[in-house]
Amino acid sequence: MDSPSDLFDDSSQPVRTFAPTLTSTDLPGVHPQPSIGRSAPSFRPPGFPLIHHLLQPGGPRRILSVNRQREDDGVTVRRVDEEMDGREERPIEGGEDNLLQVKKRHGAEWSEDALKMKRMKLRDGEVEERDKRREGGREGRRREKEELKEQLEEARERLQLLQERVWKAFGEKHREEEEEKKAKQRNENSREGDEEMTEEDEEDITGGMYDEEDIGGQMEKETFSLLSASTFEDFHKQREDRERRMERGRGGRLEGGMEGMWMDCRELLRGDWNVGMEDEGEEGGQKFAQALKLELGSAVARVIDRVLRLYTEMTDHAPSSPPASISFHQPDSGLDGGSDGGAWVGLLSRGRQEEAPGGKGDGAGGHDGEKQLQKLSLPPGPPLRSEPDQPIPLAIHRSPDTRKPHPLLGPPLSTHLNPSHPNLPLHHPSLPRPSALPPLIPSAPQPKDPSSSSSFHTPSSSSSSSSSFPAPPPPPPPPLPLPLLHYSMQQLFSRSLPHPQLPHLPPSRKDYLSPDSFLEFSSPPSFPPLSLLSHLDPLLVRHGGRERERGVRGDGGVRGGGVVDGGELYLTGGGSQEGLSPCHLKKAKLMFFYTRYPSSNTLKTYFPDVKFNRCVTSQMIKWFSNFREFFYIQMERFARQAVREALTREGASRLGRDNQLRVGRETELYRILNMHYNKSNVYQVPERFLEVSEVALREFYSAIWTGRDSDPCWKKGIYKIICKLDSPLPEAFRMPGCPVG
DNA sequence: TAAAATCCTG
DNA sequence: CAGGATTTTA
């Protein structure tokens, strides 16, 4: 996935698409090529929401929740949101601040009941509503809205009363308890009123409420006392029990959740607090009360989210919806022109857009319901461009004539290896960056020429949708919210400071969750301490100068004691290790930069801390086999791409093709390779590897170009060539342990 | 023939 | 990336 460094890089180049151009001539993108050769694993660009986890630290978390809701609640919720149509919740359309204001404003009067009521009401008419919609009848919908609005107002009033009562009763625990029970019942009632609600929905709603505790719950925290976790758990358990009980009685009772709820409300309003008072102790009642408060708050948050989603819907369906970038401009379709709704709309739109491509790519996990709904709720206007699985023409948005003056084109006569490309970064790519953050910056995406319009259309798979419709994942999240920056800075900081006392990171997974791998460097477990790392290879750029000064070889840094790597503890000192650790795997990957075909002797030499037996040996051999496989697959893929490219633009000069067959550090191919073998990007990829890659790419290209690939074993020759290009490993690799985190 | 490499699949 | 099947290599 995306390595933290990638993310970091993103932040520095907000506008560029993620994938850098292979060369000035836009080397082939990475579209999957089903028809070509062996089914190459469909490349997944840094597709997944790059910013999501970075947004976490206090960032627009609502985006997350909104998205999640979208997925989970599926059709129903969506519809509900639409029904709401941004009327009563209009104030919410403001930004975050407004959101809080609204919460405060309505906090007291809103309650879960209101929410439930709304939901139920909305869903009651859902079926027929859907039919109406199919007929395109908007009148009914409007009417419904009106009704809904009225009812909501009513509900608010009542609930306000209710709240007052509740507060009054807070001094009296018994009553409190009773209120809890009532609340519970209302809960259940409302649930049962939801005929269309699936079990998943229920779970989701419950979970969602709890999830968003910190959103809506903030109000609660201010107003009421905080809930302890245990209290909440208790509450949850009891609640589940109740639900089970209710399950049994489910059926005739409370068919209309509405009625049930209102009855409860009336009961409460009558002051009938004493029913079932013996059921639970005072403490339990209090817990319930607190839990209820919490839940109410959560519910408020939920509603807000939904309303926000409503706006998302509205703006998303507008053809002018903002592109994948977070845009803060006003939604043109803004209902009432909420002056400060733009930000949210933008954010939410983005969130949604990110999701759209997701479903299309894998097809799996397709939210059919949602798709259908999309169609349903889509205005008759311009069709949503959701080109699913549609093979994309390679040169789809490339200018027909690449020979025409192009900002990215190098000098016409430049050779393919010409490093003095006008648009190349100032520093030679192979040189360590002089910046203060050398290892953090992925070497791949060098800012080429931001002014070039074509830089937005990098050859990466991002080209799948060049239309005005939001481009899918690959493009990096443009302007990064502050939290992201903070995140990056933290990463930076933690990296530059080998902190022996850092708390242990979540075990393992680091291979898949790059942010962790980012941290892992600074974490103690990180195998050979920085000291060793810095000696591993001159190319291994590290700026921890002091670390470097410490003795390395054979010092205590490596030997001795258990070492935790990837969550597993293993002994490194003294003897050899039985199995292979993730650390070894990483090391092996780095070794691949030098040797593609290591002999078993080589392996034994460079993994002194591994106790080699037949199994381990073959496993490691297998590793390299896998590495090669990946390597060749990429080469072939890009080569084919280049061939296609060359074919599509007739008259293209031979030179152009040559230029495409470069593997520079700014190329997409490099990025992919680096990502695979050097995920944490802590290791500076040796230049030789790039040369080898280039050779391989060219070999593949020529083979394909000349049609040799029709021969079943056409790759063999290439393999032979490549296997001769192994270079000696740096001495540093003789050290036991894993070179870099 | 065993080891290694590759292919293929999950 | 692992496993199994198959092919190639020494």
Side-chain angles (χ1 to χ4, degrees):
Chain A
M1 284 298 137
D2 47 343
S3 80
S5 36
D6 290 325
L7 292 161
F8 181 85
D9 185 80
D10 290 344
S11 68
S12 62
Q13 309 172 41
V15 198
R16 280 186 85 248
T17 14
F18 192 90
T21 53
L22 235 193
T23 87
S24 58
T25 52
D26 269 354
L27 196 148
V30 279
H31 313 294
Q33 306 176 36
S35 62
I36 293 190
R38 167 180 183 194
S39 65
S42 56
F43 165 63
R44 267 181 218 167
F48 89 58
L50 285 175
I51 59 171
H52 275 192
H53 62 285
L54 293 177
L55 290 174
Q56 297 277 19
R61 190 194 149 172
R62 275 166 209 85
I63 291 182
L64 298 181
S65 63
V66 166
N67 282 337
R68 192 192 56 237
Q69 281 185 17
R70 204 169 264 148
E71 291 171 6
D72 294 343
D73 290 357
V75 178
T76 327
V77 170
R78 223 175 236 276
R79 295 184 52 78
V80 168
D81 282 346
E82 286 188 0
E83 317 285 356
M84 303 299 287
D85 213 359
R87 298 229 175 189
E88 39 283 304
E89 271 76 25
R90 196 163 291 167
I92 293 173
E93 70 196 39
E96 202 163 356
D97 292 342
N98 273 13
L99 196 72
L100 291 178
Q101 286 177 10
V102 168
K103 278 182 192 167
K104 284 176 183 167
R105 218 180 304 153
H106 296 294
E109 54 192 65
W110 281 25
S111 76
E112 183 178 3
D113 301 56
L115 303 180
K116 298 288 183 188
M117 194 270 293
K118 283 188 284 185
R119 217 177 291 151
M120 288 183 311
K121 187 64 188 174
L122 295 171
R123 290 181 187 180
D124 279 348
E126 187 164 313
V127 175
E128 78 177 57
E129 173 73 9
R130 188 175 297 158
D131 294 336
K132 283 182 192 170
R133 183 165 309 197
R134 282 195 185 126
E135 297 161 8
R138 294 214 166 197
E139 300 299 333
R141 188 180 157 192
R142 280 191 186 278
R143 242 176 272 133
E144 291 249 339
K145 284 182 208 161
E146 295 298 331
E147 288 179 24
L148 176 69
K149 187 180 174 183
E150 289 175 12
Q151 288 179 3
L152 198 71
E153 293 300 332
E154 194 183 3
R156 271 191 201 157
E157 291 174 11
R158 297 198 189 197
L159 287 169
Q160 196 160 9
L161 282 176
L162 173 70
Q163 286 274 346
E164 289 171 8
R165 273 226 123 98
V166 169
W167 287 341
K168 240 188 219 171
F170 268 162
E172 311 165 50
K173 295 180 179 177
H174 298 327
R175 299 196 170 183
E176 196 172 11
E177 165 194 334
E178 180 49 29
E179 181 254 355
E180 284 302 326
K181 291 186 74 74
K182 296 288 179 187
K184 288 289 87 186
Q185 285 202 346
R186 287 197 305 273
N187 245 347
E188 299 310 325
N189 295 347
S190 58
R191 280 168 192 278
E192 290 175 5
D194 285 345
E195 291 185 4
E196 286 200 356
M197 219 158 132
T198 66
E199 288 186 1
E200 289 168 8
D201 283 337
E202 293 186 45
E203 284 177 8
D204 171 55
I205 284 184
T206 324
M209 284 176 172
Y210 294 178
D211 273 357
E212 288 159 18
E213 166 195 354
D214 53 17
I215 296 179
Q218 284 182 2
M219 174 192 72
E220 255 60 38
K221 285 171 185 169
E222 293 170 12
T223 315
F224 310 108
S225 59
L226 284 169
L227 260 186
S228 73
S230 59
T231 304
F232 200 75
E233 283 177 0
D234 287 347
F235 163 72
H236 201 81
K237 283 173 191 166
Q238 298 181 40
R239 172 207 189 97
E240 284 175 358
D241 287 341
R242 278 173 188 278
E243 285 182 352
R244 262 178 239 124
R245 272 181 266 148
M246 298 297 287
E247 282 283 330
R248 285 181 225 130
R250 184 176 288 203
R253 197 194 162 203
L254 306 176
E255 280 196 24
M258 271 305 258
E259 273 88 359
M261 189 182 95
W262 284 115
M263 283 183 58
D264 287 333
C265 284
R266 281 193 289 272
E267 267 183 304
L268 287 175
L269 292 171
R270 275 202 314 269
D272 183 11
W273 301 88
N274 293 322
V275 182
M277 154 181 147
E278 309 85 357
D279 276 0
E280 296 163 16
E282 294 182 355
E283 285 186 3
Q286 187 145 16
K287 287 178 183 177
F288 265 63
Q290 289 177 337
L292 176 65
K293 295 172 214 160
L294 195 73
E295 188 164 340
L296 290 180
S298 303
V300 170
R302 202 170 172 79
V303 162
I304 289 170
D305 272 356
R306 286 164 190 248
V307 172
L308 287 173
R309 279 187 50 214
L310 162 69
Y311 279 89
T312 310
E313 297 291 326
M314 303 298 288
T315 51
D316 270 354
H317 291 166
S320 59
S321 64
S325 60
I326 298 178
S327 96
F328 289 90
H329 65 64
Q330 302 283 334
D332 356 12
S333 61
L335 295 166
D336 51 355
S339 58
D340 39 9
W344 273 106
V345 169
L347 288 171
L348 294 172
S349 303
R350 170 173 175 73
R352 179 210 172 109
Q353 289 153 3
E354 280 181 349
E355 184 189 335
K360 102 183 173 187
D362 299 316
H367 309 274
D368 288 345
E370 188 172 20
K371 284 179 184 172
Q372 289 178 3
L373 187 89
Q374 267 189 0
K375 288 174 189 168
L376 277 179
S377 56
L378 250 148
L384 191 71
R385 285 198 51 163
S386 66
E387 28 191 276
D389 294 349
Q390 197 175 350
I392 301 99
L394 288 175
I396 181 164
H397 41 60
R398 227 153 259 146
S399 54
D401 181 8
T402 49
R403 300 175 67 184
K404 77 182 177 188
H406 192 290
L408 280 185
L409 282 181
L413 293 179
S414 66
T415 66
H416 60 275
L417 283 178
N418 183 3
S420 58
H421 191 285
N423 290 309
L424 279 183
L426 293 177
H427 312 92
H428 190 281
S430 64
L431 296 178
R433 258 155 265 281
S435 126
L437 339 158
L440 297 179
I441 304 177
S443 34
Q446 288 288 327
K448 279 212 112 183
D449 185 5
S451 65
S452 152
S453 63
S454 75
S455 63
F456 293 92
H457 295 267
T458 59
S460 83
S461 56
S462 69
S463 57
S464 56
S465 76
S466 58
S467 70
S468 60
F469 199 68
L480 293 175
L482 277 181
L484 182 60
L485 295 178
H486 281 300
Y487 183 87
S488 298
M489 293 310 285
Q490 285 173 359
Q491 299 300 316
L492 258 177
F493 195 64
S494 66
R495 285 203 119 190
S496 58
L497 296 177
H499 209 311
Q501 262 119 22
L502 263 182
H504 284 255
L505 299 163
S508 197
R509 292 278 172 235
K510 57 188 174 187
D511 281 321
Y512 308 98
L513 302 178
S514 28
D516 289 351
S517 71
F518 213 0
L519 280 172
E520 86 197 4
F521 195 103
S522 61
S523 73
S526 161
F527 195 34
L530 296 179
S531 50
L532 174 61
L533 294 184
S534 50
H535 284 260
L536 258 179
D537 190 300
L539 290 172
L540 203 171
V541 274
R542 289 288 312 160
H543 53 287
R546 299 205 171 171
E547 260 49 7
R548 203 169 306 187
E549 288 161 17
R550 271 195 240 142
V552 180
R553 315 254 157 135
D555 77 349
V558 178
R559 310 225 162 244
V563 172
V564 177
D565 177 88
E568 48 190 5
L569 182 99
Y570 65 95
L571 299 175
T572 56
S576 307
Q577 181 189 349
E578 281 287 344
L580 295 173
S581 71
C583 198
H584 293 121
L585 178 58
K586 285 185 181 178
K587 182 176 179 177
K589 283 181 171 182
L590 295 181
M591 286 172 64
F592 185 79
F593 284 142
Y594 299 91
T595 170
R596 267 63 57 188
Y597 291 84
S599 67
S600 50
N601 271 340
T602 303
L603 295 178
K604 284 168 188 167
T605 303
Y606 287 92
F607 286 94
D609 57 337
V610 172
K611 188 173 165 185
F612 280 88
N613 54 35
R614 198 175 296 167
C615 178
V616 167
T617 305
S618 59
Q619 185 187 359
M620 205 170 278
I621 292 283
K622 178 69 179 177
W623 279 357
F624 277 86
S625 177
N626 285 333
F627 299 161
R628 284 192 298 271
E629 193 172 15
F630 180 85
F631 177 81
Y632 288 129
I633 286 175
Q634 301 306 319
M635 295 302 145
E636 181 181 353
R637 197 158 58 124
F638 275 78
R640 290 192 182 277
Q641 191 89 26
V643 170
R644 278 212 220 173
E645 189 87 3
L647 288 176
T648 53
R649 39 158 206 195
E650 34 195 304
S653 65
R654 174 75 198 173
L655 180 69
R657 265 175 251 147
D658 282 349
N659 262 340
Q660 285 188 356
L661 298 176
R662 271 192 61 249
V663 183
R665 290 172 195 266
E666 77 283 0
T667 62
E668 173 70 5
L669 177 54
Y670 170 84
R671 193 190 67 79
I672 292 174
L673 295 174
N674 188 51
M675 188 74 86
H676 190 76
Y677 304 113
N678 184 25
K679 193 182 289 283
S680 58
N681 200 29
V682 177
Y683 194 85
Q684 180 84 339
V685 179
E687 192 67 24
R688 205 170 296 116
F689 179 69
L690 299 186
E691 295 170 9
V692 173
S693 303
E694 202 166 297
V695 171
L697 183 62
R698 289 170 181 280
E699 289 298 326
F700 270 101
Y701 179 90
S702 68
I704 297 167
W705 184 257
T706 58
R708 269 180 284 156
D709 59 334
S710 56
D711 179 0
C713 43
W714 63 286
K715 292 178 185 172
K716 276 191 177 180
I718 302 175
Y719 294 161
K720 273 186 184 174
I721 295 173
I722 299 304
C723 83
K724 288 175 187 166
L725 298 180
D726 277 10
S727 46
L729 283 150
E731 281 300 299
F733 276 93
R734 290 181 184 274
M735 302 299 294
C738 162
V740 295

